[in-house]
Amino acid sequence: MRLRRVRGVPDEVARRRPGRFGRSDVLRRTGAGRGGQVEHSELIPRLYEDEGLLALVSRLTGRPAAPVPDPLERHVLNILHRVGDTHGAHTDDYPYALVLFLEAPEHPADGGLAQFTPHTTVLRDVDDERAATAHHAAGDAYLLRSDTTAHRVTPLTRPGVRRTVLNFAYTTPGSQPEPSRSAGELYG
C-alpha cells in the first residue's frame, strides 16, 4: 500500500476551520480534510478497515477494536500549515485514535507537538505538571486512549512548516457514544 501518496496534500483539499468547536471551547485553527484526495481515496478506507490493523489495535489496547459508525469520524486528515495553526485541547467521542504522521515539523521548536494528560477529561489539565509532550517525525504513529485523555497540538511557530496527520478513530463493541455536533462542524 502506498500511503505516502497523501503527502503534500494541496491546501485546497483542506477546508480551514477557524473557531471553537464542541465541548472544548478552545481555538482550533486547522485544515481538516475530508474532500479531494482523501474523500475519494480507495486506500484510506481499506487501510482503516484492514483486519491486520484492527487486530494490532486490539492487541495493543487489550480490547476488541471496531470501526466507528460515524463516517465523518472514521478517518480524518488534519493539516496544520500556517503559523499559529493548532488543534486545541479536547477529548474525542470514541475511545481510540491511531494517528499516522505524513508530514511533521523537523524540530520541536517549530510546534505541532502532541500534548496530553491521561486519565482526565478536564481540558485545562493539559496545562499542568502531569501533561506529557511528544515530538513526532514523518512516518511516526501513536495510539491514544482519546476519550479519557485531554490532548491538543501546540501551535506551529514558523512559516513553511507543515503537520499533516491521518487520524483513524476506533471504538469497541458496545461502546457507541452519541455522535457529537462538533464532528459535523469540524469535518462535514
Side-chain angles (χ1 to χ4, degrees):
M1 287 194 255
R2 305 191 110 209
L3 189 57
R4 292 214 180 259
R5 280 198 272 169
V6 179
R7 285 188 65 163
V9 173
D11 294 342
E12 55 271 9
V13 170
R15 286 180 254 152
R16 285 195 70 74
R17 302 290 191 192
R20 300 179 188 283
F21 297 95
R23 301 176 300 224
S24 63
D25 196 34
V26 293
L27 181 65
R28 293 185 189 180
R29 289 194 310 239
T30 181
R34 287 287 312 165
Q37 297 167 342
V38 177
E39 190 172 88
H40 302 295
S41 170
E42 293 176 18
L43 171 66
I44 292 172
R46 277 197 350 245
L47 180 60
Y48 175 76
E49 294 179 0
D50 181 79
E51 289 180 24
L53 183 58
L54 284 166
L56 175 63
V57 172
S58 297
R59 195 167 47 252
L60 291 171
T61 63
R63 299 179 70 196
V68 301
D70 184 351
L72 286 178
E73 294 205 54
R74 287 181 188 147
H75 37 80
V76 173
L77 189 67
N78 285 314
I79 304 166
L80 306 181
H81 62 102
R82 295 183 185 166
V83 172
D85 277 1
T86 184
H87 199 90
H90 65 285
T91 57
D92 295 348
D93 292 333
Y94 295 98
Y96 301 112
L98 177 62
V99 180
L100 310 168
F101 284 79
L102 305 177
E103 299 175 295
E106 189 173 332
H107 303 288
D110 292 336
L113 306 175
Q115 290 185 317
F116 57 96
T117 305
H119 313 295
T120 183
T121 58
V122 178
L123 302 181
R124 68 178 172 274
D125 285 352
V126 294
D127 291 320
D128 74 20
E129 69 279 350
R130 295 177 299 148
T133 301
H135 175 256
H136 296 91
D140 286 353
Y142 68 82
L143 180 64
L144 180 70
R145 179 62 197 250
S146 54
D147 64 338
T148 60
T149 300
H151 56 284
R152 69 177 169 206
V153 177
T154 63
L156 297 180
T157 62
R158 189 172 58 83
V161 173
R162 292 178 64 95
R163 181 187 192 269
T164 304
V165 300
L166 183 57
N167 185 349
F168 286 168
Y170 292 103
T171 191
T172 57
S175 174
Q176 304 294 330
E178 290 294 317
S180 71
R181 206 181 64 210
S182 65
E185 292 170 355
L186 187 58
Y187 304 125

